Amino acid sequence: MFTGGMYNFGSNKILDHCPHCNLHFEIEPGYFYAAMYVSYAMNIAEAFMIVAATYLLTHNSNSPWLYIGTILTGSLVLAPINFRYSRVLLLYWLSPKINYQPHLDIDDTTPYL
């Protein structure tokens, strides 16, 4: 679905069509703007998990800078993962127009008659 690696500093572009089934990924113009909301929800869930892990490891409840630093670092490290998986979740799980078509999984090399 994407070109390049996840942590590639070059292009992190989404393909126009699926190379396997030729599905056009951007269903309508601006379709992936809704992925921002999915990414936001993922960031919030990750921030809570980072805060819980930081507290369990350090047992420090006095320093807000410790938590701010770990949340910001975790958000920056997980940003490429959120970028990709928010679009994948939006496209395949939250879109009613996209349905799984098992007949496309068969590698049929016989010509049509």
Side-chain angles (χ1 to χ4, degrees), residues 7-72:
Y7 286 98
N8 187 7
F9 289 113
S11 174
N12 204 1
K13 186 178 180 236
I14 191 167
L15 296 172
D16 290 332
H17 296 291
C18 175
H20 181 69
C21 66
N22 203 26
L23 170 73
H24 185 66
F25 287 129
E26 191 165 355
I27 297 170
E28 56 192 23
Y31 174 73
F32 286 112
Y33 284 122
M36 289 186 302
Y37 299 110
V38 177
S39 179
Y40 176 73
M42 290 170 66
N43 275 322
I44 295 299
E46 291 162 359
F48 280 120
M49 287 189 286
I50 288 170
V51 165
T54 302
Y55 180 76
L56 289 174
L57 291 173
T58 64
H59 295 288
N60 184 352
S61 60
N62 297 331
S63 175
W65 295 108
L66 173 67
Y67 294 101
I68 290 171
T70 56
I71 289 172
L72 290 177

